[in-house]
Amino acid sequence: MKKNIIYADNAATTKLDDEVFCAMKPYLLEEYGNASQPYSFARPAKKALKTARKDIADCIGSKPEEIYFTSGGTESDNWAIKGSVTLNSEKRGIITCEIEHHAILNSCTSIERFNYPLLYLSVDNYGEVSVQHLEKIISKDTKLVSVMMANNEIGTIQPIKELGTLVHRFGAKFHTDAVQALGHVRVNVEELGVDMLSGSAHKFNGPKGIGFLYIKNGIILDAYANGGSQENGMRAGTENIASIVGMAAALKKNCLNLDKNKQHLEMLTYLLLEKLDQSGVIYIRNGIHQLPGLLSLSFPGFNGEALLHRLDLMGVCVSTGSACNSKSTQISHVLKAIKLDHCYAEGTIRISLGYENTISDVTKIANSIIKVTQADCSGY
Ligand code: PLP
C-alpha cells in the first residue's frame, strides 16, 4: 500500500496480490515462449495455459474447455451480447436490466438497431430485480437474458439461480456479468444454471487487462476475434500467459479465503457504520444483500464529488456513487433506477473495502467522513 493512503475503492480495481505477482514473473522474464509453438521452449507456457484454464474452471464449477480468455470484463460482456445474435436464431428478443454496467447496456443497444428488440428489467428501491417482472416481459421470442450477479455501485446481489430457471423455461439463454461478484462470493455455474458468465482479474487482486468468458458447452456464439486457432478459434490472438497465470492464481487464492475475507470485511463494515451512527451524521446505506465490504452511502444535502475530494485531501480514496464516470456529474443510472431521492443521490459515495484494509483504516475513513460532513461542504 502506498504510504499514507487508505485505498477504499476496490470495486474500481484492486492491488495486485504479491503472491500473484510472483506466480506471473517467470512468464514475463523467462518462460516467454509462444504457447502455440511446437518446440520444447514453448512447453512451459503451454502447460501454464492449460493449468490456469483448469484452475479457473475448478473455481467456478465448469469444465476447462468452457473457459475462454479475454482482455477483461468489458470484452467478455461485449462478446456474450454481440456474439449471441446467431444463437437461437429463430428468436430475437434480448432482455437486460436497467442497472447493468455500461459494457452490457451499450452492447445491447448496439445490436438493438439491427432489429433485436430490447427490454429492460426494472429494480426495486434496493436495486433488486424481480423474478415476477421477468415473468411478465419474457416470451417465447426471447433469445437472451443478461442480468449482473452483483451491482458495481450499490453491491446488490441478484437472485441469479431463480432468474436462470425462469429464462430456461422459455427456451432462452442466460448470461451473467459476475465481474464484481467473482472472488468475493461463491460462484458455481452448474448450481446457478447460467449459460455464460463474465469475469475480470483486476477485481479480485489479479492483473489488469485479463478476464474470461465462461461459455457452457453446447452454446454456439459467434467468434469474438477471427485469426489464429487460439481459444478454440473463438478469440484469436497470442495468449497473455503471464496475466492468465496471474488471474488463475488470484482467483484460486480468493476462493480459498472466501469465508475468511467475508468475515473480515463484514467486521470492518460493522465498525465503520457503528462509528458513523455514533457520530450522529445523517446517511442511508443503499442496496440489499450487498457484496462484502461494498458500502454505497448517501449523505443528504451533500455533494458526492465534493466529499470525494475532501476525503482525498485527507488521504482516503473512495469513489462517488452519483457520477456516471469521472467526467460526468450526473446522477448515475443506478441511483436513478432505485429512485433515490435527489438530495440523497447527489451526496452518494461508494466505499469498497478489500482484504488488505484494517480496523485502523476504517476508523480513519469514518473519522474523515464525520469531519468533512461536519465541516461546511454541503449544498453545492
Ligand atoms: N462489469 C462490471 C459489473 C464492472 O464493475 C466492470 C468494471 O468496473 C466491468 C464490467 C468492466 O470490467 P473491465 O474493467 O475488466 O473491463
Side-chain angles (χ1 to χ4, degrees), residues 8-85:
D9 197 17
N10 288 275
T13 196
T14 56
K15 175 184 174 291
L16 184 69
D17 184 274
D18 291 344
E19 284 175 27
V20 170
F21 176 63
C22 290
M24 293 171 65
K25 212 170 154 195
Y27 299 95
L28 290 164
L29 299 179
E30 296 139 30
E31 306 294 358
Y32 53 82
N34 185 324
S36 300
Q37 292 296 23
Y39 43 71
S40 56
F41 178 61
R43 242 171 255 151
K46 196 177 295 181
K47 188 160 175 263
L49 183 63
K50 192 172 170 197
T51 307
R53 203 184 301 279
K54 169 143 183 7
D55 286 346
I56 289 173
D58 288 347
C59 287
I60 66 161
S62 77
K63 299 182 185 73
E65 72 272 15
E66 295 174 318
I67 303 295
Y68 293 82
F69 294 119
T70 66
S71 67
T74 299
E75 182 181 319
S76 300
D77 285 348
N78 270 262
W79 189 7
I81 302 297
K82 296 176 188 170
S84 288
V85 291

Side-chain angles (χ1 to χ4, degrees), residues 113-311:
R113 66 207 158 103
F114 298 113
N115 194 23
Y116 291 96
L118 175 60
L119 294 174
Y120 294 94
L121 279 163
S122 58
V123 292
D124 64 16
N125 296 138
Y126 301 101
E128 197 170 26
V129 164
S130 125
V131 181
Q132 287 75 27
H133 187 214
L134 178 60
E135 196 152 20
K136 271 191 193 150
I137 65 172
I138 196 168
S139 75
K140 293 281 176 218
D141 185 49
T142 305
K143 171 199 281 294
L144 178 73
V145 177
S146 180
V147 176
M148 70 200 322
M149 194 167 290
N151 182 264
N152 46 305
E153 275 187 46
I154 57 174
T156 297
I157 299 173
Q158 302 294 354
I160 294 300
K161 189 174 176 173
E162 292 78 2
L163 293 166
T165 306
L166 178 60
V167 170
H168 291 141
R169 250 182 45 213
F170 281 79
K173 301 298 177 201
F174 190 40
H175 166 257
T176 189
D177 172 344
V179 166
Q180 289 291 340
L182 205 63
H184 306 289
V185 295
R186 206 164 293 288
V187 171
N188 183 297
V189 288
E190 281 293 322
E191 284 169 17
L192 291 169
V194 294
D195 300 303
M196 289 180 277
L197 177 143
S198 304
S200 177
H202 75 104
K203 307 289 188 180
F204 50 81
N205 303 89
K208 292 171 182 54
I210 190 77
F212 70 91
L213 180 65
Y214 155 77
I215 309 175
K216 191 181 168 77
N217 278 338
I219 302 284
I220 314 289
L221 283 196
D222 279 349
Y224 184 80
N226 300 113
S229 61
Q230 296 93 347
E231 301 305 294
N232 216 8
M234 297 287 280
R235 200 270 187 182
T238 302
E239 302 90 345
N240 183 349
I241 302 295
S243 293
I244 289 169
V245 166
M247 173 161 65
L251 189 57
K252 248 174 98 170
K253 184 169 178 182
N254 268 36
C255 288
L256 213 62
N257 294 325
L258 216 56
D259 295 333
K260 191 179 92 186
N261 290 344
K262 182 170 182 267
Q263 241 176 34
H264 177 66
L265 292 170
E266 282 176 355
M267 179 271 293
L268 294 180
T269 300
Y270 177 84
L271 291 180
L272 200 159
L273 295 179
E274 186 185 49
K275 241 185 170 330
L276 291 184
D277 291 341
Q278 282 168 354
S279 76
V281 56
I282 296 168
Y283 72 95
I284 56 164
R285 182 179 181 190
N286 303 305
I288 194 168
H289 315 306
Q290 295 99 337
L291 283 169
L294 197 150
L295 297 95
S296 166
L297 305 180
S298 299
F299 299 88
F302 286 88
N303 178 287
E305 244 182 88
L307 290 176
L308 179 153
H309 291 300
R310 294 280 177 101
L311 291 172

